[in-house]
Amino acid sequence: MGTVTVKLHGAFSEFAGGARSATVEATDIAGALAGLVVRYPSLAERLRDEHGKMREHVNIFANEEEMRYLDGERTALRDGDIVHIVPAVSGGEV
Amino acid sequence: MARGVAVLLGTKKGVYVFRSGAARERWRLEGPYFPGQPVYHVAFDPRDGRSLFAGVNMTWGGPRVEISRDLGKTWKPGKNPAFPTGDERRFSRTWHIEAGHAKEPDVMWVGTEPASLFKSTDRGETWEPVRALNDHPDSKKWEPGGGGLGLHSIGVDAADPKAMTIGISSGGVYETTDGGKAWTRMNYGLGSPVPVEADGDLTCVHHVVASPSVAGARFQQAHTGAYFKDMGEKKWTSVTKGLPTDYGFASAIHPRDPKTAYLFPLEFPMRMSPAATGAGVWRTRDRGKSWKKLTNGLPRGANYEVMREGLATDRLDPAGVYFGTTNGEIWGSADEGRTWALIAQHLPPILSVETATL
């Protein structure tokens, strides 16, 4: 179990009442997100739907790598790692 | 005596509130709240006179229902409506929020996408699925309309808190008389002139409203025309004759007289004002026997599109009538539609119009 910093960007900071980061104890991204939600319950439904599935348009990075290119939420974390939660910017309607 | 009116706009880029005194001559903007975020509907709770609810359908963070207990000064999200574990559906958008009956002051209702109804017994803080409707045998046959598969209309009966009417695109109208334990399809008279099924075939209804003062009185704009239905009737009465088209989305009913109702007809399939008659609100005062186009004060040649929630009445006397357009104009009439004045323009596309009579 290491100490991990979770940084909230854009809308996800607003959903946490303006908080920009939180320090949690975790061994992987799933654990870091669980710790984050304990600290900021308002993020629970902003990150996942009612069945626990991660919402669309959320990018989560372990340090500088997007978790989809690692081991997803099971990506291991070490003491001092930084997890970034970033709203995805994409597309357009017209 | 009412002190005034607030016109509540859900727009593609947030909530806008316009407040006025009872004369409804000068309007003051409050907001926008949730700037940049699409809001399908804003509801007012006339029972406490101060709660607002906003269906915010944000890409980031998913949909949520925001609640204000001070007429918009402050907001906080309630807990999301949620489908039960094991259900393949997931709450993806809020379409309509409705205060419950005055005899049930803590009850709220929300209609969602996929088409489902949720009930709150704590003034919107938490929601429970209305499973008898959400799992109705018809539900597997409901199909998305052009805007998605939404439960977009909720009408609470004026007299009976256990009687409600809801509308789904595409599915149709369903009614309960026992508070939501059982639901009956009520499509007879809509759509096909020769329905295959006794209670009418599944069809696309666009906006169904219940009279807030007369039990059983219902009115709607459907894909196939305009219809009234009164207490005890098992069939909708088509009142499309006299209108420029049978198509449109918005509908509203007078706060006291259930024979008076309003529409904003559009041309199918382009969703534009009818070329032959131009834009206008159409009013009946005789339950659809005749219609009158109301344009006094509206710009000639305007081509407005009004969405399904884009037309509303207030509860003052004479009643105010309001419509909002997708080009960001909100118009109001303080004399039941006889004359119109621009309340504001250059707003984001307006998705819904509601009123709070304060």
Side-chain angles (χ1 to χ4, degrees), chain A residues 45-46 49-51 57 88, chain B residues 60-61 80 83 87 89 91:
Chain A
E45 293 184 331
R46 305 284 75 81
D49 68 20
E50 63 262 60
H51 303 312
H57 309 291
Chain B
W60 294 325
N80 269 2
F83 287 95
D87 196 313
R89 294 170 291 189
F91 168 51

Side-chain angles (χ1 to χ4, degrees), chain B residues 129-315:
Chain B
V130 179
R131 300 185 76 159
L133 177 69
N134 302 351
D135 299 332
H136 191 282
D138 283 357
S139 64
K140 301 240 179 319
K141 295 183 280 189
W142 295 339
E143 293 284 348
L149 177 54
L151 192 158
H152 50 64
S153 299
I154 303 172
V156 177
D157 191 72
D160 182 358
K162 295 191 180 309
M164 291 174 59
T165 302
I166 64 93
I168 291 171
S169 289
S170 287
V173 177
Y174 292 81
E175 292 190 341
T176 181
T177 55
D178 60 7
K181 296 186 184 72
W183 294 82
T184 303
R185 191 199 306 170
M186 190 57 70
N187 287 349
Y188 194 57
L190 306 176
S192 169
V194 188
V196 174
E197 300 181 47
D199 44 6
D201 302 331
L202 296 183
T203 188
C204 190
V205 296
H206 286 176
H207 193 236
V208 187
V209 291
S211 165
S213 57
V214 176
R218 307 289 187 262
F219 175 64
Q220 67 162 301
Q221 171 74 65
H223 193 105
T224 54
Y227 301 86
F228 275 99
K229 192 169 82 63
D230 278 345
M231 173 73 88
E233 292 182 337
K234 300 296 183 191
K235 180 181 180 183
W236 290 90
T237 300
S238 174
V239 294
T240 310
K241 187 178 178 185
L243 290 166
T245 74
D246 61 1
Y247 185 71
F249 285 85
S251 60
I253 196 163
H254 191 277
R256 289 168 295 280
D257 176 11
K259 292 181 174 154
T260 297
Y262 300 85
L263 294 173
F264 201 97
L266 299 176
E267 210 152 47
F268 178 80
M270 302 309 291
R271 303 164 60 110
M272 300 166 72
S273 299
T277 59
V281 174
W282 290 68
R283 181 186 65 198
T284 179
R285 287 194 181 279
D286 53 12
R287 199 175 181 261
K289 290 187 180 70
S290 63
W291 291 92
K292 182 176 183 181
K293 184 185 177 190
L294 307 169
T295 58
N296 189 356
L298 298 180
R300 286 189 178 183
N303 187 1
Y304 290 138
E305 179 188 25
V306 174
M307 306 291 273
R308 74 178 79 237
E309 299 270 20
L311 182 62
T313 54
D314 67 28
R315 297 194 179 187

Side-chain angles (χ1 to χ4, degrees), chain B residues 46-79:
Chain B
R47 299 163 302 180
D48 69 10
R50 57 191 172 88
S51 291
L52 301 182
F53 302 82
V56 184
N57 294 321
M58 180 68 163
T59 302
W60 294 325
R64 64 190 196 275
V65 178
E66 292 274 352
I67 305 168
S68 173
R69 301 297 184 197
D70 51 17
L71 286 172
K73 290 188 180 70
T74 60
W75 296 82
K76 68 177 182 56
K79 189 163 174 54

Side-chain angles (χ1 to χ4, degrees), chain A residues 10-31:
Chain A
F12 290 97
S13 172
E14 296 173 22
F15 295 143
R20 304 296 297 271
S21 68
T23 302
V24 298
E25 298 293 317
T27 58
D28 59 15
I29 287 178

Side-chain angles (χ1 to χ4, degrees), chain A residues 43 45 58 66 80 88:
Chain A
L43 284 172
E45 293 184 331
V58 183
E66 217 274 0

